[in-house]
Amino acid sequence: MIDCHAHLHHHSQDDWERRDRNLIEVADRLGIDQLCCSMLTPRRPATPEGFRQCNAWVAEAINRFPDRVLGYSYVNPGHQAEAIDEIRRCVEDRGFIGVKLYNEHRCTDPVVVPIIELAIELRVPILHHAGHMHYVPPEQPLISDGGHLAELARRYPEAMLICAHVCGGGDWEWTIKSLRHAPNVMLDLSGSVIDDGVVEMAAEVLGVDRLLFGCDMSMTAGVGRIRAAHLDDEAKTRILGTNMRSLLQRRAS
Amino acid sequence: MIIDVNAYLGPFAFRHLRYQAADQLLTLMDSRGIDRAIVSSAAAITYRNPHPANTDLAAEVAHHPDRFIPFAVINPAYAGWADDLASCIDLGFRGLRLYPKWHNYELMSGLCLDLIDRATDRGMIISIPMRVEDPRQRSWLVDVPNVPLTELADLVAARPKARFHFVNGRGFTGSVLGQPENGLPANYRIEISLLNVHLNDEVETLIANLGPDRLLFGTGMPFQYPDPALAKIEVLAPDDVLKAQLLYQNAAEWLDPPIS
């Protein structure tokens, strides 16, 4: 099992080490083999110093939990040159598996374009924070939704995009329907919302090969919704790990 | 044995529910080993006059008295609520479901306290969901806030003889309701479907602070999948004593008369 969306704890938290260890222990109890982790700056928009520090700590965690923690390079595309350098360092030197983008810029903003093109070059996925709320959250005016990711995917069909946490991003029915015709967007099923039917609808509309198991730290929710879904074992196996593994195997050597 | 203290029958206004009929919900319960469920009407949440939804629910559960424990949705701000309560008691309802934010009244209003007192006198449990759906996915038609935990704390203090049962909640460890020796009567129980285990330690902290008898197993079916709640018990309670308490003993003892 590969959790496509997890976070390590920022070292400004006194108990970050215990919490990171706890994350691995809960994963052990639930049978989760690997966690694809990023670390976000406590204050955003992130500065270059802030995201570099986070990624350095993720690299440490990869060494601390070998073969359990995989790293996403978190950057703020607004600091374009620094973000490009940081992604290259993380992917090419540190073995990170992809890029994590948050809500500093909408994914269709031209400032994001060089990040997309670099990820295409490196053949790594971009996990993009997303949500579709009918009341736009004032603290996230530039949040992307499934529609924005579908538009980005249309412009860059070679990009490997992951629409984050459909179960923590508002109207999940809207998100699933918006992604139907965007085949290069994978859907991350993580989040704290445990609504019945979300996995089955996603499988029906998008196909099981576009679905990725994830928790985004809501571990029993993430595992529970896959256990609950009316899908056969082969479909669940793909969602739980095969699909993410296939995505990761596309990277440039 | 598993008792689910947080389940629903009937349609919901803003989303299709796949197991909204009694036979559908029973099939789901059977597939997960859930023996009994406290149920209330999902339709009553948005009906102006909720009582027809209660009578629909009574008809649905009448064929399965060994499986369903019906709770009535009463709006004390709507005309005729006292008659509706009496009717529900005659129909065998064992508790009340209150939706103060959806039905637009204050928990501490005179009418609501009157309803709670009458229900308490008849041995009913007072069940209050903190929310119906996650606020991030609410419809453009409604902007209903969660019930603040401070309002629940004020209510339990004001009505020490009542028995309260809070569902679809989280954040209790940051509230007086989840603190040890908090000066509140021990007249409330907390359902676990949205609580965190381990990573934020919410369930573990509540067990330590309030005692293991204060938490109840609930799923939120058919709004929610049942399996996440079952997974919580799996990772939380490797010992059979605590597992049994959470899965059914606490709920069985909390109901009056207790379920054997």
Side-chain angles (χ1 to χ4, degrees), chain B residues 193-236:
Chain B
S193 67
L194 295 183
L195 302 183
N196 287 304
V197 289
H198 284 296
L199 285 178
N200 290 324
D201 300 335
E202 188 165 24
V203 174
E204 299 91 321
T205 304
L206 290 176
I207 288 172
N209 288 356
L210 303 179
D213 59 336
R214 302 287 293 279
L215 296 175
L216 305 175
F217 175 80
T219 64
M221 294 186 298
F223 283 90
Q224 299 176 165
Y225 287 124
D227 299 67
L230 291 164
K232 266 171 221 186
I233 303 296
E234 174 188 319
V235 299
L236 177 76

Side-chain angles (χ1 to χ4, degrees), chain A residues 34-82:
Chain A
Q34 293 183 306
L35 303 106
C36 303
C37 297
S38 60
M39 185 187 296
L40 304 185
T41 51
R43 290 185 182 172
R44 291 178 293 271
T47 62
E49 295 73 25
F51 61 68
R52 282 185 200 124
Q53 181 71 83
C54 286
N55 294 327
W57 284 330
V58 170
E60 286 177 21
I62 291 170
N63 292 328
R64 206 163 51 249
F65 304 107
D67 205 36
R68 301 300 303 280
V69 169
L70 307 174
Y72 289 111
S73 173
Y74 164 57
V75 295
N76 174 358
H79 298 281
Q80 205 170 82
E82 294 91 339

Side-chain angles (χ1 to χ4, degrees), chain B residues 78-92:
Chain B
Y78 203 79
W81 67 264
D83 297 325
D84 296 342
L85 176 67
S87 168
C88 287
I89 290 169
D90 291 342
L91 287 166

Side-chain angles (χ1 to χ4, degrees), chain A residues 56-105:
Chain A
W57 284 330
V58 170
E60 286 177 21
I62 291 170
N63 292 328
R64 206 163 51 249
F65 304 107
D67 205 36
R68 301 300 303 280
V69 169
L70 307 174
Y72 289 111
S73 173
Y74 164 57
V75 295
N76 174 358
H79 298 281
Q80 205 170 82
E82 294 91 339
I84 294 289
D85 286 348
E86 180 66 4
I87 292 169
R88 279 203 183 279
R89 175 167 43 247
C90 287
V91 173
E92 294 182 335
D93 301 340
R94 292 168 165 164
F96 280 33
I97 53 112
V99 177
K100 163 76 176 186
L101 298 180
Y102 200 63
N103 62 10
E104 282 102 339
H105 295 269

Side-chain angles (χ1 to χ4, degrees), chain A residues 9 18-19 22-23 26 29-30 132-135 167-173 192-200 217-230, chain B residues 14-16 18-19 28 32 131 133-134 136-143 170 193-194 196-201 219 222-229 231-232 234-236 238:
Chain A
H9 298 85
R18 181 188 69 81
R19 286 179 171 275
N22 203 12
L23 174 69
V26 177
R29 290 190 189 206
L30 291 167
H132 186 80
M133 276 70 93
H134 299 295
Y135 292 81
C167 296
D171 185 341
W172 49 265
E173 292 174 290
S192 63
V193 172
I194 52 175
D195 282 359
D196 175 77
V198 58
V199 179
E200 291 92 330
M217 314 307 272
S218 295
M219 311 292 273
T220 52
V223 171
R225 71 170 63 90
I226 304 298
R227 289 182 183 174
H230 287 270
Chain B
F14 297 104
R15 179 161 68 87
H16 172 66
R18 298 190 298 172
Y19 302 94
L28 183 59
R32 298 303 188 274
R131 70 190 202 193
E133 289 197 297
D134 187 282
R136 290 169 292 189
Q137 66 193 51
R138 65 195 187 280
S139 162
W140 52 89
L141 290 174
V142 298
D143 191 10
R170 59 171 44 139
S193 67
L194 295 183
N196 287 304
V197 289
H198 284 296
L199 285 178
N200 290 324
D201 300 335
T219 64
F223 283 90
Q224 299 176 165
Y225 287 124
D227 299 67
K232 266 171 221 186
E234 174 188 319
V235 299
L236 177 76

Side-chain angles (χ1 to χ4, degrees), chain B:
Chain B
M1 176 81 158
I2 301 178
I3 300 174
D4 181 349
V5 303
N6 184 26
Y8 305 80
L9 289 172
F12 179 57
F14 297 104
R15 179 161 68 87
H16 172 66
L17 302 177
R18 298 190 298 172
Y19 302 94
Q20 58 184 262
D23 59 341
Q24 295 169 325
L25 190 63
L26 283 171
T27 301
L28 183 59
M29 289 166 61
D30 289 342
S31 72
R32 298 303 188 274
I34 296 171
D35 300 276
R36 307 192 67 165
I38 288 175
V39 289
S40 63
S41 167
I45 299 166
T46 50
Y47 281 5
R48 282 188 297 277
N49 170 21
H51 193 54
N54 292 324
T55 56
D56 286 348
L57 183 91
E60 283 261 309
V61 306
H63 303 295
H64 310 283
D66 57 329
R67 306 295 303 277
F68 293 129
I69 304 159
F71 275 32
V73 177
I74 303 283
N75 177 356
Y78 203 79
W81 67 264
D83 297 325
D84 296 342
L85 176 67
S87 168
C88 287
I89 290 169
D90 291 342
L91 287 166
F93 283 80
R94 302 282 297 276
L96 282 186
R97 262 291 162 88
L98 301 181
Y99 292 94
K101 300 304 180 190
W102 285 81
H103 292 169
N104 197 26
Y105 60 85
E106 298 295 325
L107 284 171
M108 292 291 278
S109 66
L111 284 169
C112 184
L113 293 175
D114 189 7
L115 167 61
I116 288 169
D117 289 343
R118 290 186 194 211
T120 300
D121 289 345
R122 302 302 297 266
M124 299 176 97
I125 289 171
I126 317 299
S127 174
I128 305 175
M130 277 185 65
R131 70 190 202 193
V132 174
E133 289 197 297
D134 187 282
R136 290 169 292 189
Q137 66 193 51
R138 65 195 187 280
S139 162
W140 52 89
L141 290 174
V142 298
D143 191 10
V144 180
N146 290 352
V147 179
L149 293 173
T150 51
E151 293 184 14
L152 300 180
D154 291 344
L155 185 63
V156 301
R159 286 299 182 271
K161 291 180 182 170
R163 291 177 302 142
F164 295 100
H165 154 200
F166 303 133
V167 307
N168 293 343
R170 59 171 44 139
F172 289 95
T173 53
S175 151
V176 65
L177 289 163
Q179 301 299 313
E181 298 173 7
N182 57 14
L184 295 172
N187 60 346
Y188 60 95
R189 300 289 182 269
I190 296 169
E191 177 264 339
I192 68 161
S193 67
L194 295 183
L195 302 183
N196 287 304
V197 289
H198 284 296
L199 285 178
N200 290 324
D201 300 335
E202 188 165 24
V203 174
E204 299 91 321
T205 304
L206 290 176
I207 288 172
N209 288 356
L210 303 179
D213 59 336
R214 302 287 293 279
L215 296 175
L216 305 175
F217 175 80
T219 64
M221 294 186 298
F223 283 90
Q224 299 176 165
Y225 287 124
D227 299 67
L230 291 164
K232 266 171 221 186
I233 303 296
E234 174 188 319
V235 299
L236 177 76
D239 71 284
D240 289 341
V241 174
L242 183 56
K243 190 180 288 186
Q245 271 188 294
L246 295 172
L247 285 175
Y248 71 93
Q249 280 177 358
N250 292 344
E253 291 166 10
W254 185 235
L255 286 159
D256 184 21
I259 291 175
S260 57

